[in-house]
Each structure stands twice: as structure tokens, then as C-alpha cells.
Amino acid sequence: MMKSKNSLIVPKNLELVYSGEDYFSRLEAIIRNSQFEIHMQMYLFENDTTGNRIITALKEAASRNVQIYVLLDGLGSLSFPSETIKEMRQSGINIRFFAPLFSTYTFYIGRRLHRKVIVTDAKTVLIGGINIADKYCGSATEAPWLDYAVQLNGEIAQPLQKLCADIYFKKRRLQNKKIKSSFPVQEDAMVRILQNDWLKGKNEICDAYIKSIRNAKKEIIIVGSYFLPGIRIIRALKKASKNKVKIKLILSGKSDLPLTRRATCFLYGKLLNYNIELYEWNQSILHGKVAVIDGNWTTIGSFNLNNLSSYGSLEMNVEINSALLSKMFQKQLIEIIAQCQNITLNSLKTKNNLFTKTINFLSYCITRIIEIIVTYTPYKRFNN
């Protein structure tokens, strides 16, 4: 499926990580090597083989008196068994849910904890778009969902651990702070942690995408699961295309959300008219949210190019300014493109009959209405 993974590993403090065994073996090792404190904040944590593997590692760390704080999203991890939660707490693991779906105090459907971040001992960080579940790990007969993460080591972990602690312990004034500094993780690379939480005035990821697209000179490659960008990003892509920037979008050929995929297909004609190249990944479910621009700027994380990520969820991305990593990642994405189906105006005309166009249009309208409902529903307090 994917080739030359080892060629993308940048030594020392910055490493690109793949979904599949690469991610979960690293996560397991990070937990087992922890000495003092672990913070894990995750949208989806399933009680399957992969989930139990990570729970076992967490329990072992707790037995060594490592302080562990697990924060799961109240909707994404709604099915996480209460019996397993009880067992984890009895083992010494602190676990709670962000914005439980059924609460007497608040109701805000769209504001979900969508970030996927693990920090240990204020030294090691794993950030990306990969949840804890079998489908992200894959098996001998089924490829893992295509996604990415970044492992970082060094001083960048210190403010991240503090941020995770502030969120876990609901220190509202402190958790609103931005991580402003760029961190030199090695000679070639400067890294910045970007957040999106529109309700708290954080639009760093969305703004970084728009700025980088507008400033692009040569090439933009975006991997976009659930791709339904707002007008600002559409306009930035259109402007970049007019400036003769080559734009390649790697989108879902298979999706766990068929309605969203149909809605994305509705945009194909407009995107192709902007001279944007479209490629559909059909080897597995596409879940990645990454971009490489001009072989210098890379972003990897949980942020989808849609209004739910822009205006609803808590998201976290890593912004990497590194020619070495960006060019190697760019090469890998070109290998992915070679395995994709190229969507052109001619193939679109062949594939789209009146029925298909109607379904795509209705899917787009329904998806936009759902986005409006869940992202702009007021934050209500039933009890003061």
C-alpha cells in the first residue's frame, strides 16, 4: 500500500508516524517508558483489541505509580463501557469525559474534543489524527485507515502537558492561552502547535491553512478526509490556482460517512474548473488531515477542512517548517497519488448522471444544514 516508510523518519526530535502498527507500537512504547505523568486526550477510544492493548499498557504504567489522566470525548467515545472505566479507575487511572452528551448543565452539540494528543513526562508528544481503535491499526486482512501523526521530543512537550492538565482539571482561564512560540526541534525544523476552538477565540489552524495557501508559490498537496471547506479556504485555493500554483487534493474514495463523501463530490465540478487536481484514495478509508506546501511547510493533526473543525470542535495540529521533512513527506504523498483514481472533468461527466448529481446536491444541502445546527447551536446552561 505505502512504501518507504523508514525514509520519512527524521532523526532525533521529530518523526512522522503512520496509522497502523507504526503508530500503536510507538504509543505503547511511549506509555511503557513513562516515569511520572501521562496525559491522553482522544476523540474515539474503542474497547476492542487495539483499545485493550493500550489500556493494558496504561494499567502497567499506573502500577508503577505514573500519574495518568485520560480525557475522552463524550460523543466520540460514548460507547466506551462503564465497566472498563471502573476497572481503569480501580487501577489508578484518572479518566473523565469532555462534554458528556447527557448533561444537566450544558448543551452544545458541536463543541467536541476532536484532538488526538498524548504527552508523557513533559518530554514526549504524539499528535495527529489517529484514534485508538482496530480500524486505525489494521490487520492481516484489512489495511488501516490512512492517517498520520507526529512524534516530538524535547521542550515543546512542556507547555503541551500544562495545556492538557488545564483542560483535564477544567482550569478555564488557563486553558484559553495559546501556545505562541515556535520550537526548534532540530537544526532543520521549527515546530509550532496550532489550536482551533472557535468558541474560545482560537482559529490558529484555519488561519494557518489560509495564510499558507495564499502565500504558496509552486505546489499545494492536501489530504482531506471529510473535505467540505468554508468560503475562505475555497477562495484561497481559487486565488492560488490563478497564481499558477499546482494544487493536488487527495480525497476519500471510500468513507465511513457516505453522506459527507457525496457532499464533497458535489464540489468536484467547481474544484476542477479552478484547475485543481483531484485524486480519490480507494485502498482503505481515508482519515488523514495533512498538507504540504512548496516543500517547506507541513501541517499534520486532527483538523478537517470543514466547518465542524473550523467552528465547532477542539482541534490540534502541528505546523512544521522544515524543507527536509516536507520534501520527504511530499514524495510520499506523490506515491499515494500514484495509487489513487484521478478525477477529471471527462471522467466526472461519464460518472455523473442526473440521479447522481441530484443525490450529491441533496447530500451537500443536508450536510451543510447539519453543520449549521451543530456548530451554531447556542451554548445553553440549564442550571446556573
Side-chain angles (χ1 to χ4, degrees), residues 323-367:
L324 177 60
L325 182 134
S326 294
K327 287 177 180 176
M328 287 193 293
F329 194 19
Q330 182 182 43
K331 181 180 177 182
Q332 172 61 28
L333 294 180
I334 294 300
E335 293 181 15
I336 292 292
I337 286 173
Q339 301 173 61
C340 289
Q341 179 184 359
N342 184 15
I343 306 297
T344 65
L345 283 171
N346 286 335
S347 66
L348 194 63
K349 288 177 183 178
T350 302
K351 187 165 64 172
N352 278 2
N353 54 36
L354 180 60
F355 177 76
T356 303
K357 289 180 180 178
T358 303
I359 293 297
N360 291 347
F361 172 71
L362 291 175
S363 298
Y364 178 82
C365 293
I366 293 169
T367 303

Side-chain angles (χ1 to χ4, degrees), residues 58-264:
L58 289 170
K59 287 180 177 178
E60 188 275 332
S63 71
R64 294 185 281 106
N65 296 318
V66 176
Q67 295 296 308
I68 303 173
Y69 304 94
V70 177
L71 183 62
L72 305 179
D73 183 70
L75 177 62
S77 297
L78 182 63
S79 63
F80 200 76
S82 56
E83 187 62 34
T84 303
I85 296 169
K86 183 179 178 181
E87 290 176 4
M88 292 172 71
R89 286 173 175 162
Q90 288 174 344
S91 299
I93 298 169
N94 300 287
I95 179 171
R96 76 172 185 87
F97 288 86
F98 178 90
L101 202 58
F102 305 104
S103 172
T104 58
Y105 296 100
T106 61
F107 177 68
Y108 191 85
I109 302 173
R111 191 167 184 261
R112 310 313 317 172
L113 181 81
H114 195 243
R115 60 181 56 165
K116 294 90 177 171
V117 55
I118 298 93
V119 189
T120 63
D121 299 337
K123 292 181 180 178
T124 304
V125 181
L126 200 57
I127 300 176
I130 303 169
N131 290 294
I132 297 175
D134 284 346
K135 52 198 174 190
Y136 296 90
C137 188
S139 66
T141 58
E142 190 169 349
W145 288 16
L146 181 62
D147 209 337
Y148 302 92
V150 178
Q151 182 174 338
L152 301 166
N153 303 309
E155 63 175 324
I156 194 170
Q158 296 175 14
L160 261 176
Q161 181 159 307
K162 188 175 187 308
L163 175 68
C164 288
D166 291 343
I167 293 174
Y168 186 88
F169 293 109
K170 301 182 181 180
K171 296 180 181 179
R172 296 185 179 182
R173 291 184 180 179
L174 294 176
Q175 65 180 268
N176 290 341
K177 290 185 177 180
K178 298 179 181 180
I179 302 175
K180 296 182 179 180
S181 302
S182 293
F183 293 83
V185 293
Q186 54 200 46
E187 184 178 349
D188 172 71
M190 293 290 292
V191 168
R192 190 161 65 108
I193 302 299
L194 303 176
Q195 301 176 74
N196 242 73
D197 183 359
W198 181 75
L199 192 69
K200 299 295 184 180
K202 297 176 186 174
N203 300 293
E204 298 167 14
I205 308 174
C206 185
D207 290 345
Y209 259 104
I210 292 169
K211 180 181 177 181
S212 299
I213 291 170
R214 285 175 176 170
N215 293 335
K217 304 299 182 185
K218 296 179 181 178
E219 185 178 56
I220 298 169
I221 303 178
I222 294 174
V223 178
S225 59
Y226 319 124
F227 184 81
L228 273 177
I231 190 64
R232 294 173 66 208
I233 291 177
I234 288 287
R235 285 174 177 170
L237 289 170
K238 182 179 180 181
K239 180 181 177 182
S241 177
K242 284 184 176 181
N243 291 336
K244 307 301 181 183
V245 177
K246 291 184 179 179
I247 304 173
K248 298 179 172 68
L249 301 183
I250 303 173
L251 305 174
S252 300
K254 295 180 179 180
S255 178
D256 59 317
L257 297 177
L259 185 71
T260 303
R261 183 184 175 275
R262 285 285 190 179
T264 300

